[in-house]
Amino acid sequence: MSMNEIRNIAIVGQSGVGKTTLIERLLYESECSTHLGSVKDGDTVTDFDDQSIHYQHSIEATPAALCWKKHRMNVVDTPGLPELLGRTLSIYPAVETTALVFDANTPLNQVSDKLYSFAKLQKKCQMIIINKVDLNPDKIPQVINEIQSHFGQECLPINLPSDDGKSIVDCYFSPDYEASTLWDSVESAHEQLIDQVIEVDEKLMELYLEQGSSLTPKQLHDPFEEALRTGHVIPICFVSAETGQGIPLLLQTLAEIMPMPSEGNPPMLEKNNQKIRVDCEKLDHTVAHVYKVSVDPYLGKLAYIRVFQGEINAGSQLYIGENSKAFKVGHLYQLQGKKRIEIGNARAGDLCVLAKVDDLNFDSVVHDSHDEDDVIMKTLDFPAPMYSLAIQTTKRGDEQKLSEVLHKIAAEDPSLRLEHRTRTNETVLSGQGEFHLKIALEKMASVYKLNVNTELPSIEYFETITQQAEGHYRHKKQSGGAGQFGEVQLKVRPLDRGEGVVFINKVVGGAIPTSLIPAVEKGIRQAVEEGAISRNPIHDIEVTVYDGKYHSVDSKEIAFVIAGNKAFLDAVNNANPIILEPIVELKLQIPTDSVGDISGDLAANRGVILGTQSEENNFTSLQARIPQNELLDYSQRLRAMTGGEGSFSMVLSHYDPAPNTVQKKVCSDADASC
C-alpha cells in the first residue's frame, strides 16, 4: 500500500463521549468487521482487555486498522478518564491527526482542554467530532458555540445535522445548498470554511475572488493541508456512532482531508539538541519510534512502533538508540484489538508491533545505521504524579519478583513513577490518582500472579536542636580479658536550616589520640542517622568534640565509637530537640469557581497561599506552601472539591518545626515501631 493512502488518527476525548463505539462503527461501516460490538456487552474490538470490559471504560490505548476506498486508516482508541491521561498523551508522536470527540450531553472539562493543548504543542493536525447527534439535537448549536469560544473560531463545521436530526448534510465535498439544517445554512457553512482555508494561500484567494464561484476540493487540497498544519482550521464533523449517521462523511473527511504521513507536521525527532527531518519517501534508511509497550501472556514483550522513514522487514537488522549491537526482527504484526495479523514488512507511515525484543522500551528510537545513534524523540511532558503508595510483598522471598513486576508495569505506562526511598526503605509507586494505581495493582495480581500490601508512604521527617548543650559519656567494659575504655566530651549548637551536620575536632594535648578521632566521628554520625527522639535523622547541627580520656591498653576503636555515639545523644537530649516536617510548594490548576473551596481547605490544613493567576477557559493557577503531612489524601479531596477537574504538582520547599501534635505523634509512632 502506498504511503499516500495511509492515515494515522488518534481518537481522543473525555470519558463517556463514545470513542470506542465510534471506532466500532467505523470498522463495521468500512466492512473491516462483521460484528458491531458494544461497550456494554464487552465485545468491542479495541476494549478487549479484562479491565476495560469490567470498568466499561478504555483502560489501554489500542490501535485498529480499517480500509476504505483504497485508504488504510490506523485509528487509536484512547482512555478518556482523567487519571489515565498519560496513556493517551503517549500516543501522540505516532499519529498525524488527533480527532477530539465531544457530545451534546457531556460538558466540556479539563481533559478536553489538555488533549487540545497537547495536540497544539505537538503540532498535530486536529479535527473535532460531535457524536450522539441523534440525542438532544437542539443542544448541538450551544455545543458549537462553546467549542468555538473555548478553542477558537477556526473550529468550523464541514457538515451539519439536518433539521430533523435524522441525517448529516455535506457542506464541503458536494454541498447540497437546498438542504435544511438544524441551524445555519449549507451555503454559509461552506463559505466560512472556504474563507478560512484560503487565508493561507494568497494566489488561491485571488483566484476565488476572480472566479466569483466556489472552489473545488481538489483546488483546496494543498491550502487545506497547510491550514491544518498551522492550526488555522479545525474541521468539525457530526456523527451518531449508535445509528451510523454521518459515518460515510466522516470516513471521506479522514481519507481526503486529513493528512497523509508526508503532509502532517514532521515528528519531533532531535539529534544533539537539534531538530532533524525524516524523509517519508526514502526506503533505504530506517528510522522508527516505540510509542507504546505492553506484555502479552503468550508473545511476551510487545513494542508498538511507528515507522517514520524506510521500512522494517521480518529479518531486518536494527539498532536501538546508541546500542552498538543490532537485533534481528523476528515476527512483525499488526494488531486488530486482540487479533494478531502477521505481516512481512512495515513501511514509512505504518504502525506495527514487534514481539520479544526485551531491550525495546517506550520512547526507544530504532534505526539501521549508526548515523542515527543519537536520534531521540523529544521528551513528552507527562502530568505530575498526584497519588503514591508504598508497595510490599505479602510473602517473604518475593522481593525480587516484586521489583521485576513493578518495572514491567511502569514500562507499560510512562505516566507511572517507580522509586525506592532508601531512607524509609520503601518501594513507592506514584500515579495520577487512586484509580490509576488500582488498575496497575489489579494487573499485577491477574497477569503476574503477584499480590501485594499497600500503605501510604512515610513522611520523611528530620530532627534538630533549638539550643546549645553539652554531652559526656564514659564507656568502660571489663570482661575478663582486655577491656574497653573510651570517654568523650562534646558540645552541640543549632545551625541555620539546610546547613546539615558539621563535625569539629578541638581536642588538644592528646586527651583522645588523633588516630581515634575518626571513631568518635563515626559514632556521632551513626547517632545522627538514627535520631534521638523519633528515629529520624538529625539535621542542622554543629558538633564540637573538645575533650576526653583514653587508656593505653583498653582504648580501642569500638570504645570510642560507642562513647561518641552516647555523648552526642546526651548533648542532643539536653538541647531541646524538635521534629522538622517537610513543607512543599503546591501548584494547582483548578476551575475558577472552586478557588474559594480550595483556599479554605488549604488554610484549614496549615497551608499558606502564595498567589493566584487567571488562565484560559475559566481556570485558575494557584500556588501555596503546605506541610506534606496534610497532603496524604489530597488527590481525593481535590477531586471532590473540583468535580475531578483539578490537578496539582508539588516539590519540596524546605523543613520547618512541626507543631506539638505532630511532634508527639511522630515520636509515639517511633516508640511503637521499636
Side-chain angles (χ1 to χ4, degrees):
M1 177 172 284
S2 166
M3 180 195 64
N4 294 342
E5 293 163 342
I6 296 174
R7 304 290 182 272
N8 296 306
I9 307 110
I11 307 296
V12 303
Q14 56 204 60
S15 180
V17 295
K19 301 182 297 295
T20 301
T21 304
L22 174 60
I23 291 175
E24 196 70 16
R25 176 63 73 171
L26 289 170
L27 292 168
Y28 184 76
E29 293 290 340
S30 61
E31 299 182 355
C32 293
S33 173
T34 57
H35 172 71
L36 188 62
S38 75
V39 172
K40 184 178 180 181
D41 294 337
D43 59 353
T44 64
V45 171
T46 53
D47 278 1
F48 65 88
D49 59 285
D50 291 341
Q51 288 182 313
S52 295
I53 293 170
H54 173 72
Y55 290 108
Q56 295 193 356
H57 285 288
S58 295
I59 301 299
E60 302 285 350
T62 309
L66 60 92
C67 295
W68 187 83
K69 293 187 178 181
K70 297 184 179 180
H71 291 87
R72 183 173 74 232
M73 302 178 201
N74 297 311
V75 293
V76 187
D77 191 10
T78 60
L81 293 167
E83 294 183 22
L84 303 183
L85 193 61
R87 299 186 178 196
T88 298
L89 302 183
S90 66
I91 302 302
Y92 278 52
V95 300
E96 282 72 47
T97 299
T98 60
L100 185 54
V101 183
F102 295 95
D103 70 47
N105 304 303
T106 306
L108 275 65
N109 67 22
Q110 199 184 15
V111 170
S112 295
D113 283 342
K114 288 181 177 179
L115 292 169
Y116 171 83
S117 298
F118 198 77
K120 200 171 180 179
L121 187 67
Q122 287 279 303
K123 301 187 184 302
K124 298 302 170 184
C125 301
Q126 297 196 69
M127 67 179 298
I128 289 172
I129 300 173
I130 310 296
N131 190 21
K132 305 181 185 179
V133 294
D134 53 319
L135 304 176
N136 299 323
D138 292 343
K139 288 186 178 180
I140 292 176
Q142 179 185 342
V143 172
I144 296 301
N145 287 333
E146 286 182 25
I147 287 172
Q148 290 179 334
S149 62
H150 218 60
F151 302 120
Q153 296 300 313
E154 60 268 24
C155 302
L156 293 171
I158 200 167
N159 48 52
L160 290 168
S162 62
D163 58 352
D164 59 5
K166 294 182 179 179
S167 63
I168 304 300
V169 180
D170 180 17
C171 300
Y172 178 75
F173 299 103
S174 300
D176 179 1
Y177 296 114
E178 303 301 320
S180 298
T181 62
L182 198 60
W183 84 99
D184 209 346
S185 68
V186 172
E187 182 176 9
S188 175
H190 180 80
E191 289 180 355
Q192 287 182 61
L193 194 62
I194 303 305
D195 289 345
Q196 186 75 8
V197 169
I198 62 175
E199 283 183 3
V200 301
D201 190 323
E202 291 184 7
K203 290 183 179 179
L204 192 64
M205 184 183 293
E206 291 174 6
L207 178 63
Y208 178 58
L209 295 173
E210 289 172 6
Q211 283 185 187
S213 60
S214 183
L215 299 168
T216 67
K218 186 175 181 180
Q219 289 174 301
L220 287 164
H221 181 271
D222 289 347
F224 211 127
E225 297 305 321
E226 178 63 21
L228 287 168
R229 281 192 295 270
T230 58
H232 194 68
V233 68
I234 299 175
I236 301 175
C237 290
F238 297 87
V239 300
S240 169
E242 286 290 342
T243 66
Q245 289 170 236
I247 295 297
L249 279 173
L250 175 58
L251 286 165
Q252 187 175 7
T253 301
L254 294 173
E256 298 183 18
I257 290 182
M258 303 318 291
M260 66 182 80
S262 61
E263 291 175 327
N265 285 313
M268 292 188 171
L269 293 167
E270 297 180 345
K271 183 175 183 178
N272 301 324
N273 295 320
Q274 299 293 319
K275 293 180 182 178
I276 66 166
R277 292 184 72 93
V278 289
D279 186 348
C280 300
E281 305 291 342
K282 288 180 67 173
L283 293 179
D284 60 343
H285 201 21
T286 300
V287 178
H289 172 250
V290 179
Y291 67 89
K292 179 184 173 181
V293 168
S294 69
V295 178
D296 184 277
Y298 305 104
L299 290 177
K301 191 174 187 178
L302 301 179
Y304 293 66
I305 288 179
R306 164 64 195 268
V307 184
F308 288 116
Q309 179 178 285
E311 61 182 338
I312 298 177
N313 301 290
S316 292
Q317 296 282 335
L318 298 175
Y319 300 98
I320 304 171
E322 297 180 355
N323 289 4
S324 58
K325 185 178 179 181
F327 73 92
K328 183 178 180 180
V329 175
H331 297 286
L332 199 60
Y333 299 97
Q334 279 185 344
L335 298 188
Q336 194 80 336
K338 62 183 176 183
K339 185 179 179 182
R340 300 188 299 272
I341 304 166
E342 189 160 358
I343 56 176
N345 72 328
R347 304 179 73 178
D350 278 333
L351 305 183
C352 63
V353 174
L354 291 180
K356 298 181 180 178
V357 184
D358 289 338
D359 291 336
L360 281 174
N361 299 305
F362 172 74
D363 245 7
S364 293
V365 171
V366 297
H367 52 89
D368 62 358
S369 167
H370 285 301
D371 290 342
E372 268 69 54
D373 281 355
D374 299 322
V375 173
I376 61 169
M377 181 66 73
K378 185 176 180 181
T379 304
L380 299 176
D381 291 325
F382 290 104
M386 296 195 296
Y387 185 73
S388 300
L389 287 173
I391 313 291
Q392 299 174 333
T393 59
T394 57
K395 293 193 303 182
R396 294 185 66 180
D398 274 352
E399 288 78 13
Q400 182 61 35
K401 183 179 180 181
L402 174 65
S403 176
E404 292 171 358
V405 170
L406 281 173
H407 278 91
K408 288 179 180 179
I409 291 291
E412 291 185 78
D413 185 344
S415 59
L416 286 173
R417 297 286 183 273
L418 180 63
E419 62 177 317
H420 181 75
R421 297 181 181 174
T422 304
R423 196 184 131 194
T424 57
N425 193 29
E426 291 176 325
T427 298
V428 177
L429 187 65
S430 303
Q432 290 302 293
E434 191 174 4
F435 181 72
H436 190 194
L437 297 193
K438 179 182 178 182
I439 60 174
L441 297 176
E442 285 178 350
K443 190 166 187 177
M444 289 173 61
S446 62
V447 176
Y448 298 103
K449 312 303 178 187
L450 180 65
N451 293 305
V452 296
N453 294 323
T454 64
E455 60 184 5
L456 293 173
S458 302
I459 301 293
E460 295 187 347
Y461 295 98
F462 287 107
E463 298 178 15
T464 195
I465 58 173
T466 58
Q467 62 189 43
Q468 298 186 45
E470 296 199 8
H472 166 258
Y473 190 79
R474 174 184 290 181
H475 177 67
K476 186 175 182 180
K477 183 178 180 183
Q478 291 294 138
S479 55
Q484 294 179 7
F485 180 84
E487 184 173 338
V488 172
Q489 287 181 271
L490 53 78
K491 55 187 176 182
V492 296
R493 73 178 183 90
L495 297 177
D496 290 338
R497 202 70 66 236
E499 290 196 34
V501 178
V502 176
F503 175 81
I504 300 173
N505 173 25
K506 285 193 174 180
V507 176
V508 294
I512 301 174
T514 302
S515 61
L516 291 174
I517 293 297
V520 177
E521 182 177 359
K522 181 179 179 181
I524 290 170
R525 293 200 179 274
Q526 285 179 352
V528 163
E529 289 302 310
E530 294 168 358
I533 57 174
S534 68
R535 303 183 71 188
N536 286 291
I538 301 171
H539 263 207
D540 307 328
I541 186 171
E542 181 184 275
V543 188
T544 302
V545 179
Y546 65 88
D547 202 359
K549 292 181 181 178
Y550 85 104
H551 187 277
S552 59
V553 176
D554 291 343
S555 287
K556 301 177 178 64
E557 181 177 324
I558 183 62
F560 278 94
V561 169
I562 295 171
N565 185 291
K566 300 296 186 183
F568 174 76
L569 291 177
D570 181 43
V572 168
N573 284 313
N574 292 330
N576 191 23
I578 60 170
I579 303 296
L580 295 174
E581 64 176 349
I583 308 298
V584 299
E585 190 161 304
L586 194 64
K587 293 184 179 180
L588 299 108
Q589 278 192 316
I590 53 176
T592 300
D593 57 11
S594 299
V595 169
D597 291 339
I598 300 296
S599 301
D601 178 76
L602 291 171
N605 289 279
R606 302 192 286 135
V608 177
I609 295 173
L610 304 177
T612 60
Q613 183 176 341
S614 296
E615 296 188 345
E616 295 179 353
N617 305 327
N618 201 31
F619 267 76
T620 294
S621 174
L622 187 150
Q623 282 185 283
R625 284 203 185 107
I626 186 170
Q628 187 181 356
N629 183 50
E630 304 293 344
L631 297 177
L632 293 176
D633 62 346
Y634 195 64
S635 60
Q636 295 99 317
R637 281 172 22 216
L638 184 65
R639 187 176 301 112
M641 289 185 287
T642 64
E645 293 280 281
S647 62
F648 74 92
S649 63
M650 62 181 180
V651 294
L652 179 65
S653 173
H654 61 281
Y655 277 79
D656 269 349
N660 287 335
T661 53
V662 174
Q663 301 221 26
K664 289 178 181 177
K665 185 177 188 310
V666 173
C667 292
S668 64
D669 288 348
D671 292 339
S673 66
C674 290

